[in-house]
Amino acid sequence: MRQTAMILGTEYRIEIHKWSEDKELSQNSWAGYCCSNFPLIVIADLDDEEHFWFSNEEEKDAYFKGCLRHEIIHAFLNESGLKDNFEHVNRMGHEETMVDWIAVQFPKIAAVYKELGIL
Ligand SMILES: [Zn+2]
């Protein structure tokens, strides 16, 4: 997998961290996070069977992609000037429901735009 992503002109590193080696993940019970200061996106090591359990590789892959899509939306919000507008989570100012909504609906919205030739 590609290790970096260009988000509105800022390059984010994408790293896989073990829960046992990353306090941000373990202390917050997160599967991933996005940090604009470094800039860095971290996804938990999903092969860690103590903390993550999947019935098959396909399910694990889908979960990984979903997490990464979610964190990339955070990165876009960060880089477009929306870092601390809410106090929903104390270290990150984004409304999580909207982040998830964008992450989930984006492929469908892009497909409609493409179909209409307005992408
Ligand atoms: Zn989030």
Side-chain angles (χ1 to χ4, degrees), residues 66-117:
C67 288
L68 187 52
R69 281 198 295 266
H70 179 102
E71 299 309 332
I72 283 172
I73 298 301
H74 275 301
F76 269 95
L77 292 173
N78 289 338
E79 297 310 318
S80 59
L82 295 172
K83 278 181 197 169
D84 300 306
N85 299 40
F86 287 89
E87 294 181 16
H88 184 70
V89 178
N90 49 22
R91 65 175 287 281
M92 192 75 78
H94 304 155
E95 209 289 301
E96 292 294 331
T97 304
M98 283 307 287
V99 171
D100 260 344
W101 186 90
I102 295 166
V104 170
Q105 300 306 327
F106 176 80
K108 300 166 207 166
I109 295 167
V112 172
Y113 282 3
K114 202 174 170 187
E115 204 173 286
L116 294 172

Side-chain angles (χ1 to χ4, degrees), residues 16-76:
I16 309 296
H17 290 184
K18 290 186 186 304
W19 254 46
S20 55
E21 293 166 8
D22 189 322
K23 284 185 180 171
E24 289 284 335
L25 290 175
S26 55
Q27 288 180 355
N28 295 297
S29 286
W30 287 342
Y33 61 87
C34 178
C35 182
S36 60
N37 297 334
F38 295 120
L40 175 69
I41 288 172
V42 171
I43 304 294
D45 178 7
L46 301 179
D47 290 324
D48 174 3
E49 288 177 356
E50 217 177 290
H51 300 104
F52 296 95
W53 190 89
F54 302 97
S55 40
N56 54 49
E57 285 296 312
E58 198 178 30
E59 191 182 292
K60 184 166 74 180
D61 189 53
Y63 186 78
F64 175 84
K65 287 177 180 168
C67 288
L68 187 52
R69 281 198 295 266
H70 179 102
E71 299 309 332
I72 283 172
I73 298 301
H74 275 301
F76 269 95

